[in-house]
Amino acid sequence: MTVTKMSWRPTYRSSKFRNVYGKVGNREHCFDGIPITKNVHDNHFCAVNSKFLAVVTESAGGGSFIIIPLSQAGRLDSHYPKVCGHQGNVLDIKWNPFFENVIASCSEDTSVRVWEIPEGGLRRNMTEAVLELYGHSRRVGLIEWHPTSSGILFSAGYDYKILIWNLETGEPVKMIDCHTDVILSMSFNTDGSLLATSCKDKKLRVIEPRSGRVLQQASYKNHRVNRVVFLGNMKRLLTTGVSRWNTRQIAFWDQEDLSMPIVEEDIDGLSGLLFPFFDADTHMLYLAGKGDGNIRYFEITTEKPYIQYLMEFRSPAPQKGLGVMPKHGLDVAACEVYRFYKLVTLKGLIEPISMIVPRRSDTYQEDIYPMTAGTEPALSASEWLSGIDRDPVLMSLKDGYHRPNQLVFKAPVKEKKSVVVNGIDLLENVPPRTENELLRMFFRQQDELRRLKEELTTKDVRIRQLELELNNLKNVSPKDV
């Protein structure tokens, strides 16, 4: 296959997104004084929705992150409350797409936790999660919410396993065990019936998540895959990676045939990881390099040339990670089609970057805001697990987004017990490999001991009460009854 090289002078074919430009938020819309984590793990360390901005922070003794209401931009107080229940560094955080106050986090302490943030944000440190999920035997590096089901969460650990959690029961219901090294990224197709993964074993996989079956697998030597993203319902995948000459590349694949990419494009010779972001509504792809200051954007089509370069947003400040605002949180009146929240570690700063389509008209721009995935789940966790697939419930952005979500997140009450998936007890004693793992195991056992001591004390008190009541009953003479 001939590899087409990309021309950086855009060919001016008709595109409504040809002149999209990036606009940095004013100083009063930025978030300042944030002790952004110095962890070098390749994640964004940032998650955003229409209410809150969540950022992983640098902290001593365990991992923590902060939750800032978007209305409270400006300089952050140094004693601002944190979510700090993890015993190891927090490696990933993601907001639930259907419950705007629910966020999941995963950590080096091998746990995944689900937190419910009060309206208006935190007033004091939060240490109690509504759910603590243990099932991985090594640190957990990635989490991803299912795109259409309200109670399904995926987590990928350094034990090379992906666990599927049913949050209606608080249990892992499936283990995907087909990877031979650390999983680098996970991406769902539109209805969540397929999962694409990139892995350190240099393979790209398309997996049926409920059965764990690998439908397609690519091991293409000329393009070493780092990150993968499903291109909406185009039946295509896009990966970012490195060519055999160590240049940064993107590759475009047919999801039903991963023997070879449809097209590869060299980007540049820099070394930072390229994060891809795809907007299924506008078919725009954004590429942001870790440690770069720029964001390039392209238009994706199913016909040649497939990938059309549009423009580049430039900034001198390097980005550590980027959070993305969901569609219903955008400013439709300003013709904003995408919004990033950029982490600038050196300044402890987070700045919003709006991608804007220049239009003169004041009316609603129907052509750039098609019906989009809303905040209502298409199905429950048990429905999805039973084999049902449904497309997202769509909403219009025309009248602004005001519909409050009537759903209430209910965490199941759980007894701590062994976790058996696919006939394997995930929590049976796995010997620690490093000093850190030994420490984490020690802290987890200390927590368990403390919990058991408290349980024992309350039960002792209850036994004493019952003994007293029994004595009282014995001492009551038949005449008194």
Side-chain angles (χ1 to χ4, degrees), residues 48-68:
V48 67
N49 65 18
S50 64
K51 284 185 181 179
F52 300 109
L53 171 69
V55 187
V56 179
T57 55
E58 195 62 21
S59 67
S64 66
F65 56 98
I66 53 170
I67 307 282
I68 314 165

Side-chain angles (χ1 to χ4, degrees), residues 324-373:
V324 173
M325 173 62 78
K327 269 285 154 90
H328 61 263
L330 298 179
D331 184 354
V332 174
C335 293
E336 181 184 37
V337 288
Y338 216 69
R339 190 191 306 160
F340 292 103
Y341 283 79
K342 171 175 165 175
L343 272 61
V344 186
T345 317
L346 299 171
K347 299 179 182 173
L349 177 73
I350 295 173
E351 52 184 24
I353 300 165
S354 297
M355 294 296 169
I356 291 169
V357 179
R359 293 271 170 104
R360 285 203 177 90
S361 169
D362 293 333
T363 56
Y364 178 69
Q365 307 293 310
E366 201 88 47
D367 60 329
I368 60 172
Y369 295 116
M371 295 285 279
T372 189

Side-chain angles (χ1 to χ4, degrees), residues 140-161:
V140 189
L142 273 178
I143 42 175
E144 209 66 60
W145 291 95
H146 190 273
T148 59
S149 172
S150 55
I152 296 284
L153 181 67
F154 283 60
S155 63
Y158 275 62
D159 50 8
Y160 314 157
K161 292 173 178 58

Side-chain angles (χ1 to χ4, degrees), residues 105-277:
S105 61
C106 63
S107 160
E108 288 183 348
D109 66 9
T110 75
S111 75
V112 175
R113 300 185 190 207
V114 178
W115 313 82
E116 193 159 13
I117 307 303
E119 278 303 322
L122 300 181
R123 283 163 188 76
R124 61 185 70 82
N125 281 357
M126 181 180 266
T127 54
E128 287 294 312
V130 288
L131 272 178
E132 284 182 33
L133 308 172
Y134 287 103
H136 287 284
S137 57
R138 302 268 172 268
R139 59 186 168 151
V140 189
L142 273 178
I143 42 175
E144 209 66 60
W145 291 95
H146 190 273
T148 59
S149 172
S150 55
I152 296 284
L153 181 67
F154 283 60
S155 63
Y158 275 62
D159 50 8
Y160 314 157
K161 292 173 178 58
I162 294 175
L163 290 182
I164 305 177
W165 302 90
N166 177 356
L167 302 190
E168 288 173 6
T169 61
E171 301 292 338
V173 285
K174 180 76 197 163
M175 179 170 71
I176 299 171
D177 192 11
C178 58
H179 300 85
T180 58
D181 209 325
V182 176
I183 297 132
L184 300 174
S185 68
M186 297 189 282
S187 176
F188 288 101
N189 64 344
T190 309
D191 66 0
S193 60
L194 295 175
L195 173 72
T197 64
S198 61
C199 179
K200 226 174 177 176
D201 64 11
K202 303 187 178 68
K203 288 190 175 77
L204 170 65
R205 292 172 176 87
V206 173
I207 300 163
E208 206 174 61
R210 279 177 293 235
S211 66
R213 199 156 57 91
V214 179
L215 302 178
Q216 287 287 326
Q217 187 167 292
S219 186
Y220 181 64
K221 300 285 185 286
N222 290 358
H223 174 80
R224 196 164 71 247
V225 174
N226 279 328
R227 291 290 181 274
V228 60
V229 63
F230 260 105
L231 299 176
N233 48 15
M234 286 183 173
K235 296 196 179 303
R236 299 283 188 267
L237 295 168
L238 186 123
T239 58
T240 65
V242 182
S243 74
R244 55 169 46 178
W245 320 115
N246 272 354
T247 55
R248 295 200 292 190
Q249 258 189 351
I250 53 177
F252 190 65
W253 308 76
D254 179 340
Q255 74 181 36
E256 283 160 12
D257 178 13
L258 298 185
S259 57
M260 203 170 184
I262 297 168
V263 66
E264 301 162 68
E265 302 284 12
D266 285 353
I267 301 297
D268 58 30
L270 298 177
S271 59
L273 176 77
L274 272 179
F275 289 114
F277 301 89

Side-chain angles (χ1 to χ4, degrees), residues 96-99 146-152 168 373-381 383 390-394 403 405-408:
N96 185 313
F98 310 112
F99 301 97
H146 190 273
T148 59
S149 172
S150 55
I152 296 284
E168 288 173 6
T375 58
E376 201 181 310
L379 66 175
S380 67
E383 283 177 313
R390 283 198 201 118
D391 281 331
V393 178
L394 301 180
R403 192 183 63 76
N405 198 331
Q406 300 305 314
L407 295 165
V408 179

Side-chain angles (χ1 to χ4, degrees), residues 77-89:
D77 184 81
S78 58
H79 301 296
Y80 199 83
K82 292 182 169 76
V83 179
C84 49
H86 282 288
Q87 276 119 25
N89 289 326

